[in-house]
Amino acid sequence: SDGWPDSLHYEFYNYADEVGVEFHIESDKAKKLSSVLPPIAGKELAPGLPLQWDPRWSRHRGRLLIKVGKDQNPSTAAKAMKALIAKTAELIEANIS
C-alpha cells in the first residue's frame, strides 16, 4: 500500500505443491503487527482456506498465510489474496506509524 515500508508486503510464495498467499512483516519498525495480527489466524477467508500465523518468519516478526494447492484453479489463489487484503489492510494501516 502507499506509504507502507518495503518491509511490509503481500506476496504469493511458491512452494512445491502449494501457493502461499501471504503478508510478511520484515522489519522491527512494524513489530507491533506481530501482536496485532495473530488473533485473526484460524479464521477461514474462503471455504477450506484457513488463515495461519507463522511466528518464526523473519526473525520472529511473523507472517500471515493461506496455502492453496497447486491442483486448484489459479483463481482460488487470486481470490484468497483479495480476501487477505480485505481482511487485513485496515488493521495493518491502523497499527503502523
Side-chain angles (χ1 to χ4, degrees), residues 25-73:
I25 304 168
E26 297 179 347
S27 168
D28 285 338
K29 292 178 184 177
K31 191 128 171 82
K32 179 180 181 184
L33 292 171
S34 299
S35 61
V36 172
L37 295 177
I40 65 173
K43 298 182 181 355
E44 284 193 348
L45 294 187
L49 297 175
L51 187 56
Q52 301 169 49
W53 174 253
D54 176 5
R56 299 165 304 187
W57 182 260
S58 186
R59 299 182 181 162
H60 301 280
R61 294 179 189 112
R63 68 178 168 170
L64 285 170
L65 67 147
I66 302 160
K67 290 190 175 177
V68 178
K70 288 186 177 176
D71 58 341
Q72 295 190 40
N73 188 310

Side-chain angles (χ1 to χ4, degrees), residues 71-92:
D71 58 341
Q72 295 190 40
N73 188 310
S75 68
T76 302
K79 288 175 185 173
M81 181 61 83
K82 288 175 107 174
L84 178 61
I85 292 168
K87 180 74 174 174
T88 60
E90 191 174 303
L91 181 61
I92 293 164

Side-chain angles (χ1 to χ4, degrees), residues 6-39:
D6 291 341
S7 58
L8 296 178
H9 55 269
Y10 295 98
E11 181 174 324
F12 289 104
Y13 206 86
N14 187 25
Y15 296 96
D17 297 321
E18 299 166 308
V19 173
V21 177
E22 308 187 3
F23 175 76
H24 296 174
I25 304 168
E26 297 179 347
S27 168
D28 285 338
K29 292 178 184 177
K31 191 128 171 82
K32 179 180 181 184
L33 292 171
S34 299
S35 61
V36 172
L37 295 177

